[in-house]
Amino acid sequence: MANETPLGVLRRLVDRLVVSNDETALVEGVLGMLVEELGADRGLVLLTDRSGATTTIEAQGPRGKLSAREQAEISRSIVHEVWRSGKALLLEPDIGEGSKSVQALGIACALAAPLRVVGKLEARGVVYVDFRSVDIEIGDDERQLFELATDLLALVMSHRRQVSTIAEDLEAALGRERVPPPSLDQLLASRSLAPLRADIETAVVSDLPLLLLGESGTGKTLLARAVAEASQRMPVVRAMLGAADDLNTITSELFGHEKGSFSGAVAARAGLVSFADGGTLVLDEILNLPPHAQQLLLDFTQFGIYRPLGWSSPEPKRAAVRI
């Protein structure tokens, strides 16, 4: 680092982190840069995946690659010590639990740090570089560069793995065969609906509003959709207005609004009734609507007419909707 400013080194480090799309190439690039910038003899990264399998990535320095025996020694004691401490360590022959491994490896000192995101307890791997010359001095600048590089590498790897996991889950969800909702015949085949079969079959051929009562989770929405499909009144549009108590909000959601009808109404917007025209509008938790909102629905269900919020024309709009 003697011939380059810390800012220049940091810039090159960030460049390494953003240019590679492959995780192995990313790790190799950062490890190679650390070996070069720190004047280390060799470098090693041990990575663990979600299954627990370990991958070894090496960076060859002036002294060549680590032998299988040296890798085993690093894995046996130094990796364990780094994971136990949870922080970057300067390993020297006469200090700490890693001192015996330093002596066994025949090196002057080594730097090692866990690859994990701050706040995450699970380590994803360990970064290791060693120095054979007894004249080498590892100062604060070298340690800070090493720690910064490993922290940034861990953050980028964690982000990429999260994105990869989300993409895999999404791909699996999209590829999974979707189970269609049950038909009316399938629902009526159940013993619990057998006593209501005649009433439901009458509702299929009727244009009158249909009120379904029952405990939460008993299948009211499934039955409403099945009736709509059997009566060929599609599309089915569902409105969740039970928690709303503001008349303007309910009016806008159901019937739409005109531009400038309230603060924030920068453009006209169609309501759910318009989307359900020719089909079925399913109103969940309708009994929880305030009385003034129920009056709006009464006018619509009786005459099929409505006025969006801010509607200035004397003539109302119309929609053919089964509720």
Side-chain angles (χ1 to χ4, degrees), residues 248-281:
N248 286 345
T249 300
I250 296 171
T251 303
S252 174
E253 189 69 17
L254 284 176
F255 304 129
H257 62 253
E258 295 297 295
K259 180 180 179 180
S261 57
F262 57 87
S263 177
V266 296
R269 187 181 73 87
L272 296 177
V273 164
S274 177
F275 294 129
D277 192 12
T280 303
L281 180 65

Side-chain angles (χ1 to χ4, degrees), residues 91-96 98-100 102-103 107-109:
L91 304 162
E92 299 177 290
D94 302 321
I95 302 175
S99 60
K100 292 182 179 179
V102 171
Q103 294 172 5
I107 58 177
C109 61

Side-chain angles (χ1 to χ4, degrees), residues 198-219:
D199 292 335
I200 294 173
E201 289 176 343
T202 299
V204 169
V205 297
S206 173
D207 291 330
L208 295 175
L210 176 62
L211 178 63
L212 299 175
L213 300 174
E215 296 294 329
S216 178
T218 54

